Amino acid sequence: MLFHAYLRNAIAYVPTVVKLQTGAYMDVDPVAVVPVANTDGLRRALLDAIGKKNAVVPPPPKEKWPPPILLKYAGVKTWAAFARGAAVWSIQETDGNFLIAGYQSHREGYWEKDRRQETSFPPGSTVHDVVERMIAILQDAARK
């Protein structure tokens, strides 16, 4: 399981995430757009996205690859414009073990995991525990 939360201008973007048959993940509609100050709305958005699970779908044809879904929600035209000033975290679950991973910008223009921003959860942690921690991370980052 893999889910994303993007933060840009104190707004959280929580897309639905599907797993392509190739093994890669892709953000798709619907996308929840919530001010990070709205704790209840943010909680609902994260739980709703996770509740949809990662449906496995065929990849789009290369000649019809869609632009990143977040562009229309953020009102920008390019990924570079969205990424400028944005931050991203993921929630990962493998065999019942949860991890929140933060990302940093790579000099070549993509995001890479930042090991300093990883939060592992002890066995037995629930999705609610993880969501509450993600909310705290997003709200703290928005204050900085």
Side-chain angles (χ1 to χ4, degrees):
M1 163 183 102
L2 176 75
F3 294 94
H4 301 125
Y6 299 85
L7 176 64
R8 185 173 187 270
N9 299 329
I11 302 292
Y13 299 84
V14 183
T16 300
V17 180
V18 296
K19 185 174 184 178
L20 303 179
Q21 290 171 339
T22 59
Y25 291 87
M26 183 174 174
D27 297 333
V28 298
D29 273 321
V31 176
V33 180
V34 184
V36 293
N38 181 348
T39 302
D40 290 336
L42 194 50
R43 181 179 300 110
R44 208 169 23 260
L46 291 163
L47 289 171
D48 286 351
I50 293 168
K52 291 177 185 139
K53 307 207 183 290
N54 297 125
V56 178
V57 301
K62 287 184 183 181
E63 65 278 359
K64 291 186 180 181
W65 197 270
I69 196 70
L70 298 174
L71 302 184
K72 74 178 182 180
Y73 290 94
V76 296
K77 294 183 186 207
T78 66
W79 185 250
F82 178 82
R84 211 174 5 262
V88 63
W89 289 266
S90 65
I91 295 174
Q92 301 167 26
E93 182 270 328
T94 306
D95 298 327
N97 296 311
F98 289 97
L99 173 76
I100 293 177
Y103 292 75
Q104 62 187 0
S105 291
H106 187 276
R107 60 183 161 77
E108 293 183 20
Y110 59 87
W111 279 316
E112 64 182 350
K113 275 189 185 179
D114 180 356
R115 299 280 180 212
R116 297 168 298 167
Q117 293 188 66
E118 285 188 350
T119 304
S120 296
F121 291 81
S125 295
T126 68
V127 70
H128 293 282
D129 298 331
V130 177
V131 164
E132 292 304 314
R133 182 67 185 122
M134 178 66 89
I135 290 168
I137 289 168
L138 290 167
Q139 289 177 337
D140 184 54
R143 283 191 287 273
K144 293 181 180 175

PDB file of all heavy atoms in Angstrom, residues 81-112:
ATOM      1  N   ALA A  81       6.116  24.016 -11.800  1.00  0.00           N
ATOM      2  CA  ALA A  81       5.412  25.074 -11.068  1.00  0.00           C
ATOM      3  C   ALA A  81       4.764  24.514  -9.812  1.00  0.00           C
ATOM      4  O   ALA A  81       4.771  25.159  -8.759  1.00  0.00           O
ATOM      5  CB  ALA A  81       4.366  25.730 -11.967  1.00  0.00           C
ATOM      6  N   PHE A  82       4.197  23.324  -9.896  1.00  0.00           N
ATOM      7  CA  PHE A  82       3.595  22.719  -8.712  1.00  0.00           C
ATOM      8  C   PHE A  82       4.661  22.386  -7.672  1.00  0.00           C
ATOM      9  O   PHE A  82       4.515  22.679  -6.487  1.00  0.00           O
ATOM     10  CB  PHE A  82       2.820  21.440  -9.062  1.00  0.00           C
ATOM     11  CG  PHE A  82       2.236  20.775  -7.843  1.00  0.00           C
ATOM     12  CD1 PHE A  82       1.046  21.217  -7.311  1.00  0.00           C
ATOM     13  CD2 PHE A  82       2.900  19.724  -7.208  1.00  0.00           C
ATOM     14  CE1 PHE A  82       0.509  20.631  -6.162  1.00  0.00           C
ATOM     15  CE2 PHE A  82       2.379  19.138  -6.072  1.00  0.00           C
ATOM     16  CZ  PHE A  82       1.178  19.590  -5.547  1.00  0.00           C
ATOM     17  N   ALA A  83       5.748  21.771  -8.123  1.00  0.00           N
ATOM     18  CA  ALA A  83       6.788  21.286  -7.213  1.00  0.00           C
ATOM     19  C   ALA A  83       7.513  22.424  -6.502  1.00  0.00           C
ATOM     20  O   ALA A  83       7.986  22.250  -5.375  1.00  0.00           O
ATOM     21  CB  ALA A  83       7.784  20.413  -7.964  1.00  0.00           C
ATOM     22  N   ARG A  84       7.582  23.583  -7.147  1.00  0.00           N
ATOM     23  CA  ARG A  84       8.251  24.723  -6.534  1.00  0.00           C
ATOM     24  C   ARG A  84       7.499  25.104  -5.265  1.00  0.00           C
ATOM     25  O   ARG A  84       6.318  25.446  -5.301  1.00  0.00           O
ATOM     26  CB  ARG A  84       8.254  25.893  -7.528  1.00  0.00           C
ATOM     27  CG  ARG A  84       9.409  26.792  -7.408  1.00  0.00           C
ATOM     28  CD  ARG A  84       9.503  27.875  -8.490  1.00  0.00           C
ATOM     29  NE  ARG A  84       8.412  27.998  -9.452  1.00  0.00           N
ATOM     30  CZ  ARG A  84       8.419  27.465 -10.681  1.00  0.00           C
ATOM     31  NH1 ARG A  84       9.435  26.751 -11.097  1.00  0.00           N
ATOM     32  NH2 ARG A  84       7.391  27.657 -11.491  1.00  0.00           N
ATOM     33  N   GLY A  85       8.111  24.969  -4.145  1.00  0.00           N
ATOM     34  CA  GLY A  85       7.474  25.305  -2.878  1.00  0.00           C
ATOM     35  C   GLY A  85       6.577  24.217  -2.315  1.00  0.00           C
ATOM     36  O   GLY A  85       5.906  24.427  -1.316  1.00  0.00           O
ATOM     37  N   ALA A  86       6.544  23.066  -2.969  1.00  0.00           N
ATOM     38  CA  ALA A  86       5.709  21.968  -2.475  1.00  0.00           C
ATOM     39  C   ALA A  86       6.565  20.959  -1.712  1.00  0.00           C
ATOM     40  O   ALA A  86       7.789  20.940  -1.843  1.00  0.00           O
ATOM     41  CB  ALA A  86       5.010  21.278  -3.641  1.00  0.00           C
ATOM     42  N   ALA A  87       5.903  20.147  -0.930  1.00  0.00           N
ATOM     43  CA  ALA A  87       6.569  19.063  -0.211  1.00  0.00           C
ATOM     44  C   ALA A  87       5.666  17.838  -0.317  1.00  0.00           C
ATOM     45  O   ALA A  87       4.451  17.968  -0.511  1.00  0.00           O
ATOM     46  CB  ALA A  87       6.791  19.434   1.259  1.00  0.00           C
ATOM     47  N   VAL A  88       6.259  16.664  -0.202  1.00  0.00           N
ATOM     48  CA  VAL A  88       5.468  15.440  -0.331  1.00  0.00           C
ATOM     49  C   VAL A  88       5.907  14.416   0.711  1.00  0.00           C
ATOM     50  O   VAL A  88       7.088  14.336   1.066  1.00  0.00           O
ATOM     51  CB  VAL A  88       5.562  14.844  -1.767  1.00  0.00           C
ATOM     52  CG1 VAL A  88       6.972  14.436  -2.102  1.00  0.00           C
ATOM     53  CG2 VAL A  88       4.626  13.661  -1.942  1.00  0.00           C
ATOM     54  N   TRP A  89       4.916  13.682   1.197  1.00  0.00           N
ATOM     55  CA  TRP A  89       5.138  12.560   2.096  1.00  0.00           C
ATOM     56  C   TRP A  89       4.327  11.389   1.573  1.00  0.00           C
ATOM     57  O   TRP A  89       3.321  11.571   0.905  1.00  0.00           O
ATOM     58  CB  TRP A  89       4.667  12.886   3.514  1.00  0.00           C
ATOM     59  CG  TRP A  89       5.517  13.874   4.211  1.00  0.00           C
ATOM     60  CD1 TRP A  89       6.561  13.628   5.053  1.00  0.00           C
ATOM     61  CD2 TRP A  89       5.407  15.301   4.137  1.00  0.00           C
ATOM     62  NE1 TRP A  89       7.099  14.809   5.485  1.00  0.00           N
ATOM     63  CE2 TRP A  89       6.419  15.857   4.939  1.00  0.00           C
ATOM     64  CE3 TRP A  89       4.553  16.171   3.447  1.00  0.00           C
ATOM     65  CZ2 TRP A  89       6.596  17.223   5.094  1.00  0.00           C
ATOM     66  CZ3 TRP A  89       4.735  17.529   3.584  1.00  0.00           C
ATOM     67  CH2 TRP A  89       5.751  18.043   4.409  1.00  0.00           C
ATOM     68  N   SER A  90       4.758  10.199   1.921  1.00  0.00           N
ATOM     69  CA  SER A  90       3.978   9.012   1.571  1.00  0.00           C
ATOM     70  C   SER A  90       3.712   8.200   2.827  1.00  0.00           C
ATOM     71  O   SER A  90       4.466   8.263   3.797  1.00  0.00           O
ATOM     72  CB  SER A  90       4.711   8.151   0.537  1.00  0.00           C
ATOM     73  OG  SER A  90       5.910   7.632   1.069  1.00  0.00           O
ATOM     74  N   ILE A  91       2.616   7.481   2.781  1.00  0.00           N
ATOM     75  CA  ILE A  91       2.298   6.481   3.798  1.00  0.00           C
ATOM     76  C   ILE A  91       2.455   5.148   3.098  1.00  0.00           C
ATOM     77  O   ILE A  91       1.847   4.914   2.051  1.00  0.00           O
ATOM     78  CB  ILE A  91       0.870   6.629   4.335  1.00  0.00           C
ATOM     79  CG1 ILE A  91       0.701   7.955   5.079  1.00  0.00           C
ATOM     80  CG2 ILE A  91       0.509   5.440   5.238  1.00  0.00           C
ATOM     81  CD1 ILE A  91      -0.732   8.236   5.517  1.00  0.00           C
ATOM     82  N   GLN A  92       3.300   4.299   3.659  1.00  0.00           N
ATOM     83  CA  GLN A  92       3.533   2.975   3.089  1.00  0.00           C
ATOM     84  C   GLN A  92       3.185   1.926   4.140  1.00  0.00           C
ATOM     85  O   GLN A  92       3.429   2.135   5.322  1.00  0.00           O
ATOM     86  CB  GLN A  92       4.995   2.824   2.685  1.00  0.00           C
ATOM     87  CG  GLN A  92       5.443   3.853   1.675  1.00  0.00           C
ATOM     88  CD  GLN A  92       6.950   3.893   1.521  1.00  0.00           C
ATOM     89  OE1 GLN A  92       7.638   2.914   1.771  1.00  0.00           O
ATOM     90  NE2 GLN A  92       7.469   5.030   1.124  1.00  0.00           N
ATOM     91  N   GLU A  93       2.628   0.829   3.659  1.00  0.00           N
ATOM     92  CA  GLU A  93       2.339  -0.294   4.545  1.00  0.00           C
ATOM     93  C   GLU A  93       2.797  -1.563   3.843  1.00  0.00           C
ATOM     94  O   GLU A  93       2.487  -1.791   2.682  1.00  0.00           O
ATOM     95  CB  GLU A  93       0.838  -0.374   4.835  1.00  0.00           C
ATOM     96  CG  GLU A  93       0.450  -1.491   5.791  1.00  0.00           C
ATOM     97  CD  GLU A  93       0.136  -2.794   5.059  1.00  0.00           C
ATOM     98  OE1 GLU A  93      -0.357  -2.744   3.926  1.00  0.00           O
ATOM     99  OE2 GLU A  93       0.414  -3.860   5.634  1.00  0.00           O
ATOM    100  N   THR A  94       3.612  -2.317   4.544  1.00  0.00           N
ATOM    101  CA  THR A  94       4.091  -3.593   4.035  1.00  0.00           C
ATOM    102  C   THR A  94       3.968  -4.616   5.154  1.00  0.00           C
ATOM    103  O   THR A  94       4.549  -4.427   6.230  1.00  0.00           O
ATOM    104  CB  THR A  94       5.568  -3.488   3.580  1.00  0.00           C
ATOM    105  OG1 THR A  94       5.697  -2.413   2.648  1.00  0.00           O
ATOM    106  CG2 THR A  94       6.042  -4.782   2.953  1.00  0.00           C
ATOM    107  N   ASP A  95       3.208  -5.664   4.911  1.00  0.00           N
ATOM    108  CA  ASP A  95       3.028  -6.738   5.886  1.00  0.00           C
ATOM    109  C   ASP A  95       2.611  -6.209   7.260  1.00  0.00           C
ATOM    110  O   ASP A  95       3.094  -6.675   8.292  1.00  0.00           O
ATOM    111  CB  ASP A  95       4.305  -7.569   6.008  1.00  0.00           C
ATOM    112  CG  ASP A  95       4.691  -8.244   4.699  1.00  0.00           C
ATOM    113  OD1 ASP A  95       3.777  -8.618   3.944  1.00  0.00           O
ATOM    114  OD2 ASP A  95       5.898  -8.383   4.446  1.00  0.00           O
ATOM    115  N   GLY A  96       1.735  -5.207   7.268  1.00  0.00           N
ATOM    116  CA  GLY A  96       1.235  -4.663   8.524  1.00  0.00           C
ATOM    117  C   GLY A  96       2.141  -3.652   9.188  1.00  0.00           C
ATOM    118  O   GLY A  96       1.814  -3.137  10.256  1.00  0.00           O
ATOM    119  N   ASN A  97       3.279  -3.347   8.580  1.00  0.00           N
ATOM    120  CA  ASN A  97       4.202  -2.357   9.130  1.00  0.00           C
ATOM    121  C   ASN A  97       4.065  -1.052   8.360  1.00  0.00           C
ATOM    122  O   ASN A  97       4.149  -1.033   7.129  1.00  0.00           O
ATOM    123  CB  ASN A  97       5.643  -2.868   9.039  1.00  0.00           C
ATOM    124  CG  ASN A  97       5.844  -4.100   9.881  1.00  0.00           C
ATOM    125  OD1 ASN A  97       5.472  -4.135  11.045  1.00  0.00           O
ATOM    126  ND2 ASN A  97       6.413  -5.131   9.293  1.00  0.00           N
ATOM    127  N   PHE A  98       3.877   0.039   9.095  1.00  0.00           N
ATOM    128  CA  PHE A  98       3.659   1.347   8.482  1.00  0.00           C
ATOM    129  C   PHE A  98       4.918   2.201   8.539  1.00  0.00           C
ATOM    130  O   PHE A  98       5.708   2.128   9.484  1.00  0.00           O
ATOM    131  CB  PHE A  98       2.543   2.095   9.210  1.00  0.00           C
ATOM    132  CG  PHE A  98       1.180   1.521   8.972  1.00  0.00           C
ATOM    133  CD1 PHE A  98       0.614   0.650   9.890  1.00  0.00           C
ATOM    134  CD2 PHE A  98       0.454   1.849   7.835  1.00  0.00           C
ATOM    135  CE1 PHE A  98      -0.650   0.128   9.693  1.00  0.00           C
ATOM    136  CE2 PHE A  98      -0.805   1.328   7.622  1.00  0.00           C
ATOM    137  CZ  PHE A  98      -1.368   0.462   8.547  1.00  0.00           C
ATOM    138  N   LEU A  99       5.040   3.056   7.521  1.00  0.00           N
ATOM    139  CA  LEU A  99       6.141   4.003   7.422  1.00  0.00           C
ATOM    140  C   LEU A  99       5.614   5.264   6.773  1.00  0.00           C
ATOM    141  O   LEU A  99       4.897   5.203   5.775  1.00  0.00           O
ATOM    142  CB  LEU A  99       7.271   3.420   6.556  1.00  0.00           C
ATOM    143  CG  LEU A  99       8.424   4.362   6.217  1.00  0.00           C
ATOM    144  CD1 LEU A  99       9.340   4.529   7.428  1.00  0.00           C
ATOM    145  CD2 LEU A  99       9.217   3.828   5.029  1.00  0.00           C
ATOM    146  N   ILE A 100       5.945   6.409   7.356  1.00  0.00           N
ATOM    147  CA  ILE A 100       5.735   7.694   6.686  1.00  0.00           C
ATOM    148  C   ILE A 100       7.098   8.128   6.199  1.00  0.00           C
ATOM    149  O   ILE A 100       8.070   8.141   6.968  1.00  0.00           O
ATOM    150  CB  ILE A 100       5.140   8.753   7.636  1.00  0.00           C
ATOM    151  CG1 ILE A 100       3.719   8.373   8.037  1.00  0.00           C
ATOM    152  CG2 ILE A 100       5.162  10.131   6.957  1.00  0.00           C
ATOM    153  CD1 ILE A 100       3.082   9.322   9.034  1.00  0.00           C
ATOM    154  N   ALA A 101       7.173   8.451   4.923  1.00  0.00           N
ATOM    155  CA  ALA A 101       8.441   8.886   4.331  1.00  0.00           C
ATOM    156  C   ALA A 101       8.265  10.272   3.740  1.00  0.00           C
ATOM    157  O   ALA A 101       7.345  10.521   2.966  1.00  0.00           O
ATOM    158  CB  ALA A 101       8.884   7.900   3.245  1.00  0.00           C
ATOM    159  N   GLY A 102       9.168  11.169   4.119  1.00  0.00           N
ATOM    160  CA  GLY A 102       9.213  12.494   3.513  1.00  0.00           C
ATOM    161  C   GLY A 102      10.176  12.469   2.341  1.00  0.00           C
ATOM    162  O   GLY A 102      11.045  11.602   2.253  1.00  0.00           O
ATOM    163  N   TYR A 103      10.006  13.407   1.447  1.00  0.00           N
ATOM    164  CA  TYR A 103      10.840  13.477   0.251  1.00  0.00           C
ATOM    165  C   TYR A 103      11.525  14.828   0.170  1.00  0.00           C
ATOM    166  O   TYR A 103      11.065  15.805   0.761  1.00  0.00           O
ATOM    167  CB  TYR A 103       9.986  13.251  -1.004  1.00  0.00           C
ATOM    168  CG  TYR A 103       9.459  11.836  -1.085  1.00  0.00           C
ATOM    169  CD1 TYR A 103       8.402  11.417  -0.279  1.00  0.00           C
ATOM    170  CD2 TYR A 103      10.016  10.914  -1.943  1.00  0.00           C
ATOM    171  CE1 TYR A 103       7.925  10.115  -0.334  1.00  0.00           C
ATOM    172  CE2 TYR A 103       9.549   9.605  -2.012  1.00  0.00           C
ATOM    173  CZ  TYR A 103       8.498   9.227  -1.204  1.00  0.00           C
ATOM    174  OH  TYR A 103       8.038   7.942  -1.257  1.00  0.00           O
ATOM    175  N   GLN A 104      12.617  14.859  -0.581  1.00  0.00           N
ATOM    176  CA  GLN A 104      13.337  16.106  -0.832  1.00  0.00           C
ATOM    177  C   GLN A 104      13.551  16.243  -2.335  1.00  0.00           C
ATOM    178  O   GLN A 104      13.523  15.250  -3.062  1.00  0.00           O
ATOM    179  CB  GLN A 104      14.673  16.117  -0.101  1.00  0.00           C
ATOM    180  CG  GLN A 104      15.625  15.024  -0.544  1.00  0.00           C
ATOM    181  CD  GLN A 104      16.875  14.946   0.315  1.00  0.00           C
ATOM    182  OE1 GLN A 104      17.030  15.710   1.253  1.00  0.00           O
ATOM    183  NE2 GLN A 104      17.766  14.032  -0.002  1.00  0.00           N
ATOM    184  N   SER A 105      13.752  17.466  -2.768  1.00  0.00           N
ATOM    185  CA  SER A 105      13.992  17.702  -4.193  1.00  0.00           C
ATOM    186  C   SER A 105      15.394  17.245  -4.566  1.00  0.00           C
ATOM    187  O   SER A 105      16.358  17.544  -3.867  1.00  0.00           O
ATOM    188  CB  SER A 105      13.871  19.186  -4.512  1.00  0.00           C
ATOM    189  OG  SER A 105      12.551  19.602  -4.386  1.00  0.00           O
ATOM    190  N   HIS A 106      15.465  16.525  -5.658  1.00  0.00           N
ATOM    191  CA  HIS A 106      16.751  16.122  -6.227  1.00  0.00           C
ATOM    192  C   HIS A 106      17.170  17.223  -7.200  1.00  0.00           C
ATOM    193  O   HIS A 106      16.325  17.886  -7.802  1.00  0.00           O
ATOM    194  CB  HIS A 106      16.602  14.773  -6.946  1.00  0.00           C
ATOM    195  CG  HIS A 106      17.889  14.201  -7.416  1.00  0.00           C
ATOM    196  ND1 HIS A 106      18.465  14.571  -8.604  1.00  0.00           N
ATOM    197  CD2 HIS A 106      18.720  13.291  -6.853  1.00  0.00           C
ATOM    198  CE1 HIS A 106      19.599  13.908  -8.770  1.00  0.00           C
ATOM    199  NE2 HIS A 106      19.767  13.129  -7.712  1.00  0.00           N
ATOM    200  N   ARG A 107      18.450  17.420  -7.383  1.00  0.00           N
ATOM    201  CA  ARG A 107      18.933  18.492  -8.261  1.00  0.00           C
ATOM    202  C   ARG A 107      18.480  18.306  -9.701  1.00  0.00           C
ATOM    203  O   ARG A 107      18.452  19.245 -10.471  1.00  0.00           O
ATOM    204  CB  ARG A 107      20.447  18.632  -8.167  1.00  0.00           C
ATOM    205  CG  ARG A 107      21.224  17.406  -8.542  1.00  0.00           C
ATOM    206  CD  ARG A 107      22.738  17.619  -8.334  1.00  0.00           C
ATOM    207  NE  ARG A 107      23.452  16.388  -8.259  1.00  0.00           N
ATOM    208  CZ  ARG A 107      23.762  15.630  -9.310  1.00  0.00           C
ATOM    209  NH1 ARG A 107      23.435  16.014 -10.505  1.00  0.00           N
ATOM    210  NH2 ARG A 107      24.420  14.501  -9.148  1.00  0.00           N
ATOM    211  N   GLU A 108      18.088  17.096 -10.071  1.00  0.00           N
ATOM    212  CA  GLU A 108      17.620  16.848 -11.437  1.00  0.00           C
ATOM    213  C   GLU A 108      16.107  17.033 -11.583  1.00  0.00           C
ATOM    214  O   GLU A 108      15.534  16.722 -12.621  1.00  0.00           O
ATOM    215  CB  GLU A 108      18.046  15.457 -11.906  1.00  0.00           C
ATOM    216  CG  GLU A 108      19.554  15.344 -12.070  1.00  0.00           C
ATOM    217  CD  GLU A 108      19.995  14.000 -12.610  1.00  0.00           C
ATOM    218  OE1 GLU A 108      19.172  13.281 -13.204  1.00  0.00           O
ATOM    219  OE2 GLU A 108      21.170  13.678 -12.431  1.00  0.00           O
ATOM    220  N   GLY A 109      15.457  17.538 -10.531  1.00  0.00           N
ATOM    221  CA  GLY A 109      14.066  17.931 -10.651  1.00  0.00           C
ATOM    222  C   GLY A 109      13.016  16.950 -10.176  1.00  0.00           C
ATOM    223  O   GLY A 109      11.832  17.205 -10.342  1.00  0.00           O
ATOM    224  N   TYR A 110      13.406  15.854  -9.590  1.00  0.00           N
ATOM    225  CA  TYR A 110      12.403  14.919  -9.076  1.00  0.00           C
ATOM    226  C   TYR A 110      12.558  14.808  -7.564  1.00  0.00           C
ATOM    227  O   TYR A 110      13.526  15.284  -6.984  1.00  0.00           O
ATOM    228  CB  TYR A 110      12.520  13.543  -9.745  1.00  0.00           C
ATOM    229  CG  TYR A 110      13.862  12.866  -9.570  1.00  0.00           C
ATOM    230  CD1 TYR A 110      14.126  12.074  -8.464  1.00  0.00           C
ATOM    231  CD2 TYR A 110      14.870  13.020 -10.520  1.00  0.00           C
ATOM    232  CE1 TYR A 110      15.346  11.450  -8.296  1.00  0.00           C
ATOM    233  CE2 TYR A 110      16.101  12.399 -10.366  1.00  0.00           C
ATOM    234  CZ  TYR A 110      16.329  11.620  -9.254  1.00  0.00           C
ATOM    235  OH  TYR A 110      17.546  11.011  -9.090  1.00  0.00           O
ATOM    236  N   TRP A 111      11.569  14.191  -6.931  1.00  0.00           N
ATOM    237  CA  TRP A 111      11.620  13.992  -5.491  1.00  0.00           C
ATOM    238  C   TRP A 111      12.226  12.635  -5.186  1.00  0.00           C
ATOM    239  O   TRP A 111      11.939  11.642  -5.844  1.00  0.00           O
ATOM    240  CB  TRP A 111      10.230  14.068  -4.883  1.00  0.00           C
ATOM    241  CG  TRP A 111       9.746  15.466  -4.666  1.00  0.00           C
ATOM    242  CD1 TRP A 111      10.445  16.506  -4.145  1.00  0.00           C
ATOM    243  CD2 TRP A 111       8.448  15.975  -4.944  1.00  0.00           C
ATOM    244  NE1 TRP A 111       9.661  17.622  -4.077  1.00  0.00           N
ATOM    245  CE2 TRP A 111       8.433  17.323  -4.564  1.00  0.00           C
ATOM    246  CE3 TRP A 111       7.288  15.422  -5.478  1.00  0.00           C
ATOM    247  CZ2 TRP A 111       7.308  18.137  -4.688  1.00  0.00           C
ATOM    248  CZ3 TRP A 111       6.170  16.227  -5.608  1.00  0.00           C
ATOM    249  CH2 TRP A 111       6.190  17.563  -5.216  1.00  0.00           C
ATOM    250  N   GLU A 112      13.041  12.617  -4.126  1.00  0.00           N
ATOM    251  CA  GLU A 112      13.623  11.361  -3.655  1.00  0.00           C
ATOM    252  C   GLU A 112      13.393  11.261  -2.154  1.00  0.00           C
ATOM    253  O   GLU A 112      13.277  12.279  -1.468  1.00  0.00           O
ATOM    254  CB  GLU A 112      15.114  11.285  -3.985  1.00  0.00           C
ATOM    255  CG  GLU A 112      15.963  12.332  -3.281  1.00  0.00           C
ATOM    256  CD  GLU A 112      17.436  12.281  -3.640  1.00  0.00           C
ATOM    257  OE1 GLU A 112      17.858  11.321  -4.287  1.00  0.00           O
ATOM    258  OE2 GLU A 112      18.153  13.222  -3.268  1.00  0.00           O
TER     259      GLU A 112
END
